[in-house]
Amino acid sequence: MRTILVVGGGYAGFYTAWKLEKKLRRDEARVVVVDPRPYMTYQPFLPEVVAGSVEARHAAVSMRRHLTKTRIIAGTVVKVDHAHKTATIRPAEGPEYAFPYDIIAVTAGAVTRKLDIPGVTEHAIGMKHVEEAVAIRDRLLTNFDRAATLPPGPQRRRLLTVTFVGGGFSGVEGFGELLSLATALARRYPELDPAELSFHLVEARGRILPEVTDKPGEWVVRSLEKRGAHIHLNAVLQSADGGHVVLSTGEEFDSDLIVWTVGNAASPLVRNHTDLPIDGRGMLMVRADLRVGDASSFVPDAWGAGDDAAVPDLALAGAKPGAATVPNAQHAVRQGKLLARNIVASLRGREPKQYLHHSLGVVATLGLGRGIFQYKGIVIKGFPAWVMHRGYHVLAVPSWERKVRVLLVWVTAALFGRDIVSLASVQHPRRAFVTGGEVPAASEEPAAHEVQAVSAGASREHAPSA
């Protein structure tokens, strides 16, 4: 049997393996997926994980539960030598080893794009993985508890100040959901004045949400500002050293929670550790039929899809020659499904089909009961758009098991409200056992930002192929 190696278990990788299982005949080929995480993260749910509207585990789809015919290797592909059809795998435990394959599907995804700004690595948390979304939520809840014990002043203001850097979909959705949670929390803390909450969204461009047109984007800004948010457009973060935020506009303030959502960067595996062709951005060069190569030729037995691949956008070919599909869930899911069909077609001597997908529009949540939807010239705002957002994503999340679990959480929240318990203490699971119940003085405890920034940084360092 031939071995099909799927590098990365994100959207594109998970759907490629899932559909291959259904389409391959018995003994036609074996499928192997390599990913450091045992689950596929449904990233559109991360803003709601941040707000506590979706359980963290429900935004993660178990690969072993759903890929029952696939061999799953917990590890990272650190090198691809396609000339010899060998991948070097670094497993979760043990030494690296060479893994031979016959066909490779590179769906390594992208990683969080970091810039060399003082204090960002030490203090910021990304929002690309479930653990980061949980850390953001727990930090906010913990900060409310800490602030409630302090008198009004600089330290309390710092704890109640939140800064998001990046005004794309991920940043705006996470910002809106966390603002919604904080506003609801303030009513449960009579010791605090809601006016002490300070939420800042920093964007280097002159607008947010580049996926929508100008007027809807302006409406989102006005909507957030009416809720008390501070939107800093044409502003660049210059420093976050010690949690002290300095913007290029001259504004400065202290912020205990800094969330970094400035976009994606090419996977280090694709950019630096493969002999497959890449473009100037470090993205895998992929044809419209998802074979690796360019319009004139392709690399046999090499395929690519998802955020690490520059897939030609045939829907824009007339208006923007050379345009590639944007890195979002809509494209990754559909590319993964087509990739599986095309691999099977090539195994059976048929020609693969080209990827062509017309956008279904864009929809974003801006907090509980608030959203925006745009399809061409049609714009829907507020509660109807929020319902459309939830409806679309509960249909899009893979497997009925996950759909039902998410729906039950939403129903429970509608009846009883959000769960506002912080589980930040799981960062120190042995503390009570070691101390015998003694509570350490505040000066002896590691700062929350130190624990969670390290955790978030570790998750990024171990994600070069997923």
Side-chain angles (χ1 to χ4, degrees), residues 16 29 142 161 163 270:
T16 297
T142 301
T161 299
T163 305
V270 174

Side-chain angles (χ1 to χ4, degrees), residues 133-461:
V134 172
I136 293 167
R137 177 175 179 269
D138 284 347
R139 174 82 72 81
L140 181 76
L141 296 172
T142 301
N143 281 1
F144 264 80
D145 287 331
R146 294 170 63 195
T149 66
L150 295 172
Q155 189 175 355
R156 190 154 102 169
R157 284 198 303 272
R158 176 193 173 101
L159 290 171
L160 298 176
T161 299
V162 176
T163 305
F164 273 67
V165 184
F169 253 74
S170 177
V172 171
E173 287 192 315
F175 184 82
E177 286 286 352
L178 198 65
L179 176 60
S180 179
L181 172 61
T183 304
L185 275 177
R187 294 193 290 268
R188 298 182 178 271
Y189 286 81
E191 306 95 332
L192 303 177
D193 183 349
E196 293 179 280
L197 285 177
S198 186
F199 271 66
H200 299 263
L201 177 62
V202 180
E203 171 54 47
R205 292 167 292 190
R207 53 165 300 178
I208 60 175
L209 293 180
E211 295 86 350
V212 303
T213 52
D214 289 344
K215 288 188 177 180
E218 292 168 0
W219 177 85
V220 172
V221 171
R222 292 195 302 271
S223 174
L224 292 172
E225 288 178 337
K226 285 180 181 177
R227 294 160 59 189
H230 305 279
I231 311 299
H232 305 271
L233 300 179
N234 296 310
V236 176
L237 178 66
Q238 294 186 326
S239 174
D241 200 16
H244 182 70
V245 174
V246 180
L247 304 182
S248 60
T249 57
E251 297 168 274
E252 299 184 27
F253 50 88
D254 290 328
S255 179
D256 190 73
L257 175 54
I258 302 172
V259 183
W260 184 261
T261 60
V262 297
N264 297 325
S267 163
L269 166 70
V270 174
R271 187 175 63 240
N272 300 319
H273 304 294
T274 173
D275 57 352
L276 296 171
I278 59 174
D279 64 12
R281 298 175 299 157
M283 308 286 283
L284 191 68
M285 292 179 62
V286 176
R287 296 154 48 102
D289 59 11
L290 304 182
R291 288 185 286 196
V292 174
D294 55 29
S296 61
S297 63
F298 64 89
V299 179
D301 299 323
W303 305 77
D307 291 355
D308 67 340
V311 181
D313 193 337
L314 299 184
L316 297 176
K320 297 181 180 179
T325 57
V326 297
N328 64 21
Q330 275 192 40
H331 287 301
V333 169
R334 288 162 178 78
Q335 288 170 11
K337 293 177 180 179
L338 178 63
L339 179 52
R341 293 197 296 269
N342 281 353
I343 290 175
V344 172
S346 70
L347 287 173
R348 298 173 185 172
R350 301 197 303 267
E351 283 297 310
K353 295 182 178 180
Q354 294 188 325
Y355 177 74
L356 174 61
H357 172 65
H358 295 280
S359 175
L360 302 175
V362 292
V363 63
T365 175
L366 302 174
L368 193 63
R370 300 176 176 91
I372 187 166
F373 167 82
Q374 182 175 17
Y375 176 69
K376 296 182 178 179
I378 302 171
V379 178
I380 300 174
K381 307 170 184 174
F383 184 76
W386 176 77
V387 172
M388 293 172 69
H389 176 273
R390 284 202 162 183
Y392 172 78
H393 285 300
V394 80
L395 290 174
V397 67
S399 84
W400 280 103
E401 171 251 342
R402 275 295 176 262
K403 299 180 199 295
V404 172
R405 288 182 187 274
V406 171
L407 279 172
L408 289 176
V409 171
W410 283 342
V411 170
T412 303
L415 293 174
F416 303 108
R418 304 175 195 257
D419 191 335
I420 58 171
V421 175
S422 169
L423 293 179
S425 58
V426 299
Q427 297 288 343
H428 310 282
R430 299 182 64 251
R431 174 178 292 160
F433 174 73
V434 172
T435 64
E438 290 284 344
V439 179
S443 60
E444 298 174 3
E445 289 197 61
H449 74 262
E450 293 173 354
V451 174
Q452 294 174 342
V454 168
S455 175
S459 71
R460 289 191 291 270
E461 290 168 8

Side-chain angles (χ1 to χ4, degrees), residues 1-4 16-31 69-70 340-341 343-350:
M1 283 197 299
R2 295 185 182 183
T3 297
I4 302 172
T16 297
W18 204 22
K19 295 302 178 182
L20 280 172
E21 283 193 351
K22 297 177 181 179
K23 294 183 178 298
L24 287 170
R25 301 185 187 118
R26 184 187 296 272
D27 298 332
E28 188 172 17
R30 64 171 64 89
V31 182
K69 301 176 184 177
T70 297
R341 293 197 296 269
I343 290 175
V344 172
S346 70
L347 287 173
R348 298 173 185 172
R350 301 197 303 267

